[in-house]
Structures are given as C-alpha cells and as structure tokens.
Amino acid sequence: MKNVKRIGVFTSGGDCSGLNATINSVVRAANEKNVEVYGIYEGTDGLFYPNLKYTKLKLSDLANNFSCMRTGGTVLKSKNRDNKSSDADFEKNKIAFERGIKELGLDSLIVIGGDGSAEITSRLIEGTDTNVICIPKTIDNDTPMTEYSIGFDTARNVTMEAMDRLQTTAFSHNRTMILEVMGRDAGHLALHTAIAGEACVCIIPEIPYSIDNVCKKLDEIKNKGISYALVVVAEGTKTENGENLVIEKCGVECYTGFANYISQKLAERGYLNRTVILGHIQRGGTPTAYDRIVASEFGVYAIDILLQGKNNRIVVIKDGKVTDVDLFEAVAVGNRPVFKDDILVRTARALGIYVGDGG
Ligand code: F6P
C-alpha cells in the first residue's frame, strides 16, 4: 500500500448534480484510511501558486454544514470554459500548478470533471511527477471510455419530467412540442429523454436528419390517430445544411437554440408547434439515488487505487463494472459520442421514433 497522507480534490467544468456526493464519498473513504483531504476551490485555479484557494475538508463540516450527499452544485465551486488561457499563460499556469501542489504537500489529486477537465489536467501534469485520479461527471455523459458519468441520471430525470409536463399541454392543444436538451456535441441526453419521454422524433448531432423526414414522421403519427407530437432535439445539432448555431458570449461559444430553428422550419410547413429550451435547469437539483450511489462507488474506488499506488488513471464504468483506465489514453480517445449502432438508437427506431437518417 502506498503511503498517501494528504490529497487534494477539486471539481472542474460545468456543474451537475452529484458533485457534492462525490466530494462526500472521497472525504469519507479517505477518512477511513487516515488520509487528509484538502478541498481546492474553483478547479485548477485554486492550485495556481501563489493564489492558493483551499480548505481542509472535515467530515463534520460536510455533514453539518453542507449535507453534501443531498445537494446540487459544488461546495468547491468550479471553473468552466470561460477561463481559457493562452499558450504562454498555460505554461505559466503549469509551473504555478506544480508549485501549488508542492506547497500544500499533496501526495495526489482527485479531479472530478468531464472530458474537458480530464484533457486540461492531463496537460497540466504531463512531464511532472504529479499523480491524478479523475472521476467522470457530466450531464452530457460523454466522458471518454466510461459508460456513465455522474450527473447524467439526475439530468435525464429532469428532462423526462419536462416531457411528462409537455405531453399534457401538447395533447390539450393538438400541437407539436419541441424540447431542447443539453449535451453539447453528444446526443446521449436527448436519446434517453426521447425514449423515457415517448417522443416521436429525436434529433442528435451524431446522426444526419432531414426536415422532410421529421414532417413525414409527424404526418405518420397523425394518420395513426395521435393528435399531438413530442420532439426532442439536442442543443449541439447543426442545421440541415451543416451550419453551427452558436453565438459568442464574453469570448465563449454558446448554443443559440437549435429548437427554434426546427420550430421555424416546421411552422413554415404548417405544423403548429411550440418550443422549450430547458437549459441549466438540467444541471441543478438534488441528485437521484443512482447518482449518489455511483458517486459513492467512484469516490471509494478512487481512494482505493490511490492507495494501491496507481498513477494517472480515470475511474470508469466498463461493461457495467467500476474499473480504471489510463488518463492520457482516455484523453487521446476523445469524447464518447452516440454511435449509430448504439442499442438505444436501435431501441428508439424499433419503437417508431425518428432518430435521423432515412425516415
Ligand atoms: O458540458 C455540460 C454542459 O451543461 C453542456 O451540456 C452545455 O452545452 C454546457 O455545459 C453549457 O455550459 P455553460 O454553463 O458554460 O453555459
């Protein structure tokens, strides 16, 4: 067993529900093994020497003050894409990061983040002797090489509830309701929402679609005697002719509302419809039991492999089991898209949902 006395933990990238539960499990598992945990504020920023931002995480604080298992967001705060640095700044940050870790006497770091955070962290530690264990989280569920990322289940329950609420109003008014969900370049959240929420159309970035085929599906269900329709679209989908619907806000590219594009196209063809863009509501709220359990498993597993002396790993779920893979290898693979032959794509199509390509 490796002699690990003190570790740091931080959350990085877009928040989601289950981050606090993960911090909680890391601290509890570390406590059992007499390992001290320093919580680093605002992701990697908190370790840039000399502006260190940290606190010693005590189990009693997590239980008494934060009720970490139950809350959304992150008590350690997070830094996002808004904080991109230039190459020169990155090199300076890399030095400051290593210095910060040494200054705090951290034997290892646990990084709770998605694909972007794994990539940034891997660049910060490359060529140094810093050891990192990453724990995947993101409502996009697209962290490389893992079947599941913390936060996804809570988000898909939020989107499913939105579909349930939209179904009644769609029915009452014989309308098409279009729900736009998050996911950036990945369609996992949209696909799960479409199946659980019984949509008839699901448009995702990974699979080409046509407005003609969307209309064909809407006609088809009308001809079957169903008076309303539910459509789910993923925010990162491009227009039919490949245009990216983004605008820049304070130097960061943000999605402008793909749902509005589809809505307009359908309205032009006489299909009565309304849109809902769910946005950051998908990232908040109390974590589901599933997210709390995965957060607990991942936290315990991360401490275990740290103590076994493993270096630079990412905790993943593979074939339904918690295991770990090399961090640099995972980063090289890149984010995990929805594949065309995914069992859920086949399931959706078998249920009569239009998921792109020929109708
Ligand atoms: O990656 C998580 C995510 O919620 C994406 O689904 C979404 O596109 C993005 O973050 C939004 O980021 P921000 O909070 O910076 O607007």
Side-chain angles (χ1 to χ4, degrees):
M1 200 189 263
K2 206 178 164 207
N3 195 14
V4 178
K5 291 226 167 344
R6 183 184 296 163
I7 61 169
V9 59
F10 63 77
T11 49
S12 169
D15 74 342
C16 62
S17 218
L19 294 178
N20 285 337
T22 315
I23 296 166
N24 197 48
S25 69
V26 164
V27 175
R28 284 181 58 168
N31 214 259
E32 292 295 313
K33 306 283 183 192
N34 298 316
V35 175
E36 267 186 325
V37 184
Y38 278 23
I40 311 300
Y41 289 112
E42 300 183 5
T44 50
D45 271 24
L47 280 174
F48 292 155
Y49 182 85
N51 302 314
L52 303 175
K53 292 173 262 184
Y54 65 97
T55 185
K56 187 175 166 189
L57 287 173
K58 287 204 298 215
L59 206 53
S60 55
D61 280 344
L62 298 189
N64 294 332
N65 303 342
F66 305 125
S67 191
C68 267
M69 186 60 122
R70 295 160 181 82
T71 49
T74 163
V75 290
L76 293 176
K77 311 269 184 166
S78 191
K79 278 274 159 104
N80 217 355
R81 320 174 273 145
D82 334 304
N83 309 96
K84 271 193 183 146
S85 54
S86 65
D87 286 350
D89 283 347
F90 191 83
E91 281 314 309
K92 265 199 266 163
N93 287 343
K94 188 166 170 150
I95 294 165
F97 189 71
E98 202 183 355
R99 177 86 192 267
I101 291 165
K102 293 234 158 75
E103 197 68 24
L104 295 184
L106 304 177
D107 297 315
S108 265
L109 279 180
I110 294 193
V111 176
I112 308 168
D115 59 328
S117 309
E119 196 261 337
I120 290 168
T121 310
S122 71
R123 283 169 60 211
L124 282 170
I125 63 163
E126 203 171 10
T128 74
D129 58 8
T130 301
N131 178 30
V132 161
I133 306 289
C134 284
I135 296 182
K137 65 82 210 166
T138 169
I139 69 163
D140 305 342
N141 206 23
D142 63 345
T143 315
M145 295 175 90
T146 182
E147 289 154 16
Y148 189 78
S149 299
I150 293 160
F152 180 66
D153 186 56
T154 308
R156 75 181 162 185
N157 275 289
V158 171
T159 57
M160 183 185 72
E161 192 195 332
M163 290 290 276
D164 292 351
R165 288 171 187 266
L166 289 176
Q167 189 272 338
T168 54
T169 179
F171 169 80
S172 304
H173 293 276
N174 295 336
R175 273 176 185 161
T176 295
M177 295 299 300
I178 305 169
L179 177 69
E180 179 182 307
V181 302
M182 282 185 163
R184 206 168 279 177
D185 304 319
H188 300 284
L189 189 53
L191 187 57
H192 285 240
T193 306
I195 294 173
E198 222 184 1
C200 63
V201 171
C202 175
I203 306 181
I204 59 176
E206 294 92 334
I207 306 183
Y209 65 93
S210 77
I211 303 286
D212 279 348
N213 283 330
V214 173
C215 294
K216 212 166 108 190
K217 179 54 71 176
L218 295 178
D219 293 343
E220 186 190 307
I221 65 154
K222 196 171 178 190
N223 291 337
K224 285 185 176 157
I226 303 170
S227 61
Y228 68 92
L230 296 176
V231 171
V232 179
V233 301
E235 62 175 1
T237 316
K238 295 188 172 109
T239 65
E240 225 182 343
N241 53 20
E243 196 193 334
N244 227 339
L245 294 176
V246 291
I247 46 163
E248 212 181 281
K249 287 187 192 166
C250 304
V252 178
E253 284 193 337
C254 298
Y255 296 109
T256 52
F258 176 74
N260 293 329
Y261 162 79
I262 289 289
S263 167
Q264 193 54 36
K265 292 286 170 197
L266 293 184
E268 282 163 14
R269 295 174 189 220
Y271 294 86
L272 191 61
N273 74 83
R274 295 288 187 271
T275 55
V276 174
I277 299 173
L278 214 44
H280 290 78
I281 286 171
Q282 295 158 94
R283 299 219 313 230
T286 187
T288 56
Y290 187 72
D291 271 328
R292 296 180 197 199
I293 288 161
V294 178
S296 303
E297 284 187 306
F298 279 5
V300 166
Y301 191 90
I303 296 296
D304 265 0
I305 58 174
L306 259 187
L307 293 175
Q308 283 164 26
K310 286 199 177 180
N311 285 323
N312 302 330
R313 311 293 293 174
I314 176 162
V315 180
V316 298
I317 295 188
K318 190 168 179 266
D319 301 328
K321 289 206 178 80
V322 180
T323 179
D324 56 283
V325 295
D326 182 72
L327 173 63
F328 295 99
E329 208 178 295
V331 166
V333 168
N335 81 325
R336 187 180 69 95
V338 171
F339 293 106
K340 268 193 184 181
D341 62 350
D342 189 296
I343 178 72
L344 286 188
V345 173
R346 285 190 275 131
T347 302
R349 285 181 171 161
L351 291 167
I353 304 172
Y354 173 64
V355 194
D357 282 341

